[in-house]
Amino acid sequence: MIDLSEQALSVVEIHATAWGLPTSAERVAKRVCSTMDEISNFYDAMLPHMEEILDYLNQFSLDTIPDNVKPIAWTALAMCEVDNPVRWKSVTLSSGFDVLGMVPKSSFYDSSFVA
Amino acid sequence: MNIATNVSLPAQGSDALGIEKLPTDFYVCENHYRSELENVFSKCWLMVGRETDLAKSGDFFTYKIDALSVSIIVVRGKDGIIRAFRNACTHRGTKIVTEERGRLRGGMICPYHGWAFGLDGDLLNVPDEETFGCLDKDNEGLHTVSLDKWGGFIFINLDPHPQWSLKEYLAPLGEDLIKYVGDEQWTWSFGWKSRVKSNWKSPVDAQVEGYHITYGHRRTISRNVTAETTRPYINPGSIGVPGGHHLFRPEKLGEQTPIGLLAARYGATSLYAEPEKEFAANNFDQLAFSQHPRWILDGYLLFPNTVLFVQKGQLFIQRTLPLSPHECLWEVDFYHSEKPQKFGEKFNHEQGRIQIRDVLSEDLKIVEGIQENYRSGAIKEMNLSRQEVIIRAYYHSIRQFVEEGSSR
Ligand code: FES
Ligand SMILES: [Fe+2]
């Protein structure tokens, strides 16, 4: 087991408080309510360490990632959420439907709405 | 089938169904809408679930079409047979189950007065039966709904005597696809639902033509899929599958983001990047074009409300249901052949799903705007290119049902 370098660890730790959220739904909500500056800061700080972070996390089997490591995994996943905003230079797309209106389903059969 | 790497792509659509403009009133007209409910949704096969989700006897799920106030129970019986019933007690009409899925022990008991039905729908027990003047229990079973299966998916038909068997209906999809899609490897992995302020057909339109990709998705997907690399075709004479398309990557990929490239190392959920690791998928190699180095996916319109996208290791299904002429319930669901084992694979899934979500969000925004312009009467006719030929085929199928319905 190779540990994360101190640099990488300190960067993730700084950003895990804000971005290390357990579910996709929480991460998209976080993205949508962030400013472009917050998103860019997060992205720019994390990007140089992403390869290392993924290599580190890949040492575990997905089901047994230890609890104290999980926030690192969630923070890495949040990078997927901010990838497009960084490219667009915009938190959301004016040409897009409200992504929060696309509600995650719990199964194929989870079709109903509380209007 | 082995397709050489330099094989030319199929034609970019056709004019076979004519070139005239089509009216837009069938997206907004109340009468037309009611006729669709009566003649399309009440006569066609609709995808409602997956066989493997009903693994054990007593496993059930429900399916609702709110616009028709229809609620259906689909349940596996003790004999292993999957059946569909109206979710309606024959005593006085109470809904028997209220959950969207679950497991019934032994049978179904109506929550109002306790009539008990077997998993095969038979009425087994009536409390205080002697107080009913005349009750023929043998004729008071739950009302059966037509059900059949294709490629592991369960379809229902509200018509007690469907005009076509499901096999005939989906015949253009072919045996190889049944084998691929029907394999037990597929597990549901995620999905979204939304209420969209458009006619139920418009999100279908958006998934069956590639003409809009180049411009409409210029901020998302068009770096790797374009109008030019989408190849639509129609199935003349088929009601169930009016058409489909093949999607290829362009010869030269557009610019990738570092995150996209990183995700591509671990899997193939994203359409953005050429994956470095592919999913293992049974029965894949037989599919037409699967060996083409630039092939991404095949899409099929399953009339009337479903679009099925087939990829290596990933299935993606969009379904819509009408709520009014101007609003629909929209759902997408993803199935995967492999469960992520390592974080990298989860990262790949997450990246792929977010990219697809953002692409779909562009489609949904567009169709809501279209609805307003049809509704206001600003646009009474639409122009369709050869690349949008499936929309023409779709229109003709809808018309056929509505006209047959009105002449009955
Ligand atoms: S309505 Fe079902 S038992 Fe009375
Ligand atoms: Fe689209």
Side-chain angles (χ1 to χ4, degrees):
Chain A
M1 176 80 46
I2 301 165
D3 279 337
L4 268 186
S5 69
E6 268 185 35
Q7 286 151 300
L9 187 63
S10 69
V11 167
V12 192
E13 275 176 348
I14 291 169
H15 292 281
T17 337
W19 292 93
L21 301 163
T23 65
S24 304
E26 287 166 284
R27 293 188 290 267
V28 64
K30 167 67 186 160
R31 161 195 150 190
V32 169
C33 75
S34 297
T35 66
M36 202 53 227
D37 277 348
E38 288 166 336
I39 287 175
S40 303
N41 285 341
F42 169 56
Y43 179 88
D44 293 343
M46 286 284 289
L47 190 64
H49 305 288
M50 281 303 286
E51 201 168 339
E52 187 194 334
I53 292 170
L54 260 73
D55 286 342
Y56 169 70
L57 292 168
N58 276 331
Q59 298 177 105
F60 305 97
S61 122
L62 195 53
D63 305 329
T64 56
I65 294 185
D67 282 350
N68 63 327
V69 177
K70 279 181 183 160
I72 300 177
W74 300 330
T75 311
L77 289 172
M79 284 294 276
C80 298
E81 193 56 71
V82 297
D83 190 26
N84 276 338
V86 167
R87 194 159 54 86
W88 300 330
K89 301 187 175 61
S90 164
V91 178
T92 54
L93 265 191
S94 58
S95 60
F97 190 82
D98 174 12
V99 284
L100 299 182
M102 297 165 78
V103 179
K105 295 175 66 173
S106 59
S107 80
F108 191 75
Y109 310 98
D110 171 16
S111 311
S112 49
F113 267 86
V114 189
Chain B
M1 188 179 308
N2 201 351
I3 296 196
T5 55
N6 59 354
V7 75
S8 56
L9 304 185
Q12 215 175 342
S14 91
D15 289 332
L17 297 177
I19 52 172
E20 72 281 6
K21 293 185 178 193
L22 294 182
T24 60
D25 60 344
F26 80 125
Y27 293 90
V28 292
C29 165
E30 290 277 349
N31 288 336
H32 193 279
Y33 172 74
R34 271 191 295 275
S35 173
E36 284 175 350
L37 291 178
E38 218 173 283
N39 300 301
V40 178
F41 281 91
S42 304
K43 304 277 173 209
C44 291
W45 289 102
L46 304 170
M47 183 193 280
V48 298
R50 185 105 183 134
E51 275 182 81
T52 44
D53 291 332
L54 303 180
K56 296 237 163 67
S57 140
D59 286 351
F60 76 94
F61 61 79
T62 49
Y63 178 72
K64 292 197 303 177
I65 307 175
D66 289 330
L68 285 166
S69 302
V70 162
S71 174
I72 289 167
I73 314 172
V74 180
V75 60
R76 190 183 286 274
K78 289 195 172 125
D79 51 7
I81 294 174
I82 297 175
R83 298 177 179 84
F85 305 103
R86 293 296 187 128
N87 183 12
C89 176
T90 50
H91 172 220
R92 278 173 44 209
T94 297
K95 286 202 174 147
I96 308 246
V97 295
T98 48
E99 301 89 348
E100 60 210 18
R101 63 185 307 202
R103 179 169 297 166
L104 297 156
R105 293 180 192 282
M108 298 175 255
I109 301 192
C110 176
Y112 204 179
H113 312 92
W115 280 30
F117 301 87
L119 296 175
D120 56 2
D122 284 356
L123 175 56
L124 301 178
N125 186 55
V126 172
D128 303 330
E129 188 182 340
E130 65 285 359
T131 64
F132 286 84
C134 62
L135 182 65
D136 178 7
K137 275 198 352 226
D138 290 348
N139 278 319
E140 296 296 341
L142 295 178
H143 297 173
T144 306
V145 175
S146 306
L147 177 147
D148 208 345
K149 292 166 287 184
W150 174 93
F153 286 101
I154 299 167
F155 289 72
I156 58 103
N157 194 321
L158 292 176
D159 189 339
H161 307 288
Q163 210 173 330
W164 307 268
S165 71
L166 182 62
K167 201 171 172 197
E168 290 163 348
Y169 194 77
L170 299 179
L173 298 178
E175 292 296 321
D176 290 334
L177 193 66
I178 294 183
K179 252 202 229 144
Y180 182 58
V181 172
D183 196 277
E184 293 206 347
Q185 66 190 323
W186 299 107
T187 2
W188 183 90
S189 38
F190 63 92
W192 299 282
K193 57 184 178 180
S194 195
R195 291 177 77 119
V196 177
K197 291 190 187 64
S198 82
N199 186 269
W200 64 276
K201 298 185 292 298
S202 296
V204 178
D205 294 346
Q207 301 312 332
V208 297
E209 59 95 351
Y211 179 43
H212 77 282
I213 297 175
T214 308
Y215 198 75
H217 295 308
R218 66 195 174 284
R219 294 196 187 85
T220 51
I221 210 170
S222 74
R223 287 168 300 160
N224 283 346
V225 192
T226 66
E228 206 278 320
T229 56
T230 309
R231 299 299 167 126
Y233 60 89
I234 48 168
N235 295 319
S238 169
I239 285 290
V241 193
H245 54 60
H246 310 286
L247 239 75
F248 299 89
R249 287 190 182 86
E251 305 240 18
K252 201 175 161 304
L253 289 186
E255 197 201 325
Q256 310 300 308
T257 68
I259 294 294
L261 289 172
L262 205 51
R265 289 189 194 167
Y266 301 101
T269 60
S270 174
L271 303 183
Y272 269 73
E274 198 160 10
E276 289 177 33
K277 171 190 174 290
E278 294 205 317
F279 293 116
N282 302 333
N283 309 317
F284 172 74
D285 294 350
Q286 303 308 311
L287 296 187
F289 294 107
S290 66
Q291 306 305 305
H292 193 289
R294 287 162 51 202
W295 179 85
I296 301 173
L297 60 77
D298 288 336
Y300 304 92
L301 168 54
L302 312 187
F303 189 81
N305 67 337
T306 301
V307 188
L308 168 66
F309 292 97
V310 176
Q311 249 177 295
K312 187 165 188 187
Q314 178 169 270
L315 305 177
F316 159 30
I317 298 157
Q318 176 190 279
R319 293 177 298 160
T320 54
L321 279 176
L323 294 169
S324 84
H326 313 295
E327 196 180 11
C328 65
L329 174 63
W330 170 95
E331 291 173 87
V332 297
D333 290 279
F334 287 81
Y335 284 83
H336 286 99
S337 56
E338 280 185 86
K339 244 190 146 60
Q341 305 290 336
K342 293 283 182 191
F343 179 78
E345 292 151 26
K346 188 176 166 74
F347 188 80
N348 170 268
H349 271 250
E350 183 83 354
Q351 194 263 352
R353 101 169 71 170
I354 286 170
Q355 298 307 327
I356 291 181
R357 183 199 65 204
D358 287 348
V359 171
L360 293 169
S361 88
E362 295 178 304
D363 292 328
L364 296 182
K365 179 85 166 190
I366 297 268
V367 297
E368 288 195 334
I370 287 175
Q371 190 67 21
E372 289 192 0
N373 280 331
Y374 289 176
R375 198 174 180 178
S376 72
I379 297 298
K380 292 195 164 62
E381 289 178 308
M382 57 181 178
N383 293 284
L384 292 173
S385 74
R386 202 172 293 161
Q387 301 178 62
E388 297 161 288
V389 65
I390 308 177
I391 295 180
R392 216 178 265 283
Y394 187 33
Y395 169 80
H396 287 308
S397 300
I398 297 271
R399 283 312 285 239
Q400 190 179 326
F401 276 90
V402 168
E403 275 159 25
E404 272 175 23
S406 64
S407 67
R408 253 195 299 270

